[in-house]
Amino acid sequence: MKRLLPALLCAALLAGCGADAAAPAGPKPAPETAEAAETLPQGALRLVWQGGDTYAMGGSTVYGVDSGYYYDARFLTGLDLDTGVLGLVCAKPGCAHTDAGCDAWLGPSPADGYTIAQCGAFADDGKLYRVYVTAPEHGGGAAYSTLTVSALDGSGQTLLCEGFAPDGSCLDIAWLADDAALYAVAESNPPRADGQSSERTVVLRISKTDGSVQRLFDWSAGGEAPTATPRLFAAAVCGGRMVLGQSRPPKAHTGSMAGDAAASRITWHVLDLGTGTLGDALPLADEGQLLELRDGAAWQIDEAGTLTVQDPLTGDVLRQYPGLWPAELEPTAVFAVTDRYIAIDGAACSAPQDGSPLYQPHRLVFDRADGSLVRELPATWWKDGAEARLPALYAQNGSRAALLVDSRTATAADVGQDGSVYTHPSESPVYAVIGLEEYLDGSQDWTLCTPPDLGPVGPAATR
């Protein structure tokens, strides 16, 4: 069977959309940085937002964006996982929620001349942090990055730091935290003189007290491989330590992009935050069909269908389930792990005989105690009315989950090259909330979110 690249998942994330209360006025000077931290992190290191299109939890609240439309201003929303009710994160009495005076205001849109690389929010230690970073090398506009802090209800927002993004911009940022600081793992692709592709990853430490910035680590690559550019990214926190994943494309082109992806390998490394050095590859085999870092452990399914859970730092096997995964299916992702269950997604390895579409999604639920198959959960909705889809996990806080359960045709708006606004048909996602183990027990008695449109979701909803 073809080996798939691992999908690096992490539980208890928190995300959304955020910016300073006022619209950016233009480029800002970069802060002073240090080449390495002088002290080790204080308290437990935690991954609070993996970046990208990933949304996740802060207590029982999911932070998100009120609109995914290109030209709209952004406002911060909070979805209650217990009730399914969505509202703006603003506690200001009598607020009309229409402009920058609202506590939920997040910042300008691309129509204001800014190409956004990251617009988001995460909560840590009882405070709400909002991020706004532009990407001027992808569409023009000014270089700008800002980080603000406020109360969880959105009130009292103040600037913590600005101008921190490397190269004046970035592609994406993952955020971690400990008791004293935030850590930004920023990826960018600055231009090279030879015109070849490049990748750069910078790890910054930002003090929660005064917003001072230290540059802990700086890595770059590009042009070395004919198939793809190596990448270094935030993967997980294991044993309180930051783990970065490094992709290693094949040295020779296989003949297709899919073949290059299948031939790529990922190694995981601990970043020493005190010295700014990257350690040797962790003892993970990465030779099976599936390998993920999740909840501080490595989960791997090998060619024989055995699921192995091991400590990524030491390689010690924590638990093993021989022959758990059926040979006729190819595993694609660990969907969820609870006290009772392990749920894994997969797909058929060969074309069905009945002429149905090649991709047939399967979600198998296993007993965590002995690895026995408990049930298969059914597909509940169909993309474009024809392609079967399983509910996708939008966010969870352990006991409660928000799922993408359907889509409906809607009208979206966009901005043309001449600046005019136009509308076009678009699929609008429909979300619902339910107890995670209730869903794994086979229940579809979920509560639809109101309003249902929370904006774009991550790769799990579209694969």
Side-chain angles (χ1 to χ4, degrees), residues 97-285:
H97 311 305
T98 57
D99 55 32
C102 175
D103 282 343
W105 171 256
L106 294 173
S109 73
D112 298 306
Y114 296 90
T115 306
I116 298 174
Q118 185 171 69
C119 176
F122 56 88
D124 184 65
D125 198 22
K127 295 182 179 180
L128 182 66
Y129 296 91
R130 309 188 200 193
V131 183
Y132 190 94
V133 180
T134 64
E137 76 275 25
H138 295 284
Y144 188 80
S145 56
T146 183
L147 177 66
T148 69
V149 60
S150 71
L152 290 178
D153 64 4
S155 63
Q157 184 178 189
T158 59
L159 179 68
L160 184 61
C161 70
E162 58 186 347
F164 58 84
D167 307 315
S169 65
C170 72
L171 294 174
D172 200 10
I173 305 178
W175 292 88
L176 300 92
D178 61 26
D179 292 348
L182 304 174
Y183 298 85
V185 183
E187 295 183 64
S188 63
N189 59 352
R192 285 170 50 122
D194 58 10
Q196 296 191 37
S197 63
S198 68
E199 292 284 339
R200 185 186 183 197
T201 299
V202 175
V203 179
L204 305 174
R205 182 184 188 274
I206 303 174
S207 170
K208 291 181 178 179
T209 304
D210 59 13
S212 59
V213 179
Q214 295 174 302
R215 183 171 297 166
L216 307 182
F217 178 73
D218 197 334
W219 173 92
S220 61
E224 290 83 0
T227 55
T229 304
R231 177 180 170 231
L232 196 67
F233 54 91
V237 171
C238 300
R241 310 183 74 181
M242 184 187 299
V243 177
L244 303 182
Q246 184 171 8
S247 66
R248 301 179 182 276
K251 295 182 179 180
H253 187 42
T254 62
S256 69
M257 293 181 63
D260 291 346
S264 297
R265 292 293 180 267
I266 294 180
T267 55
W268 286 268
H269 308 258
V270 170
L271 178 64
D272 189 317
L273 297 177
T275 63
T277 57
L278 197 66
D280 294 334
L282 295 179
L284 299 178

Side-chain angles (χ1 to χ4, degrees), residues 341 365 374-378 380 434-446:
Y341 297 128
V365 181
V374 178
R375 65 182 57 86
E376 178 173 357
L377 297 176
T380 60
I434 190 173
L436 183 56
E437 286 206 342
E438 291 178 52
Y439 168 65
L440 298 181
D441 277 330
S443 172
Q444 296 180 28
D445 187 21
W446 46 59

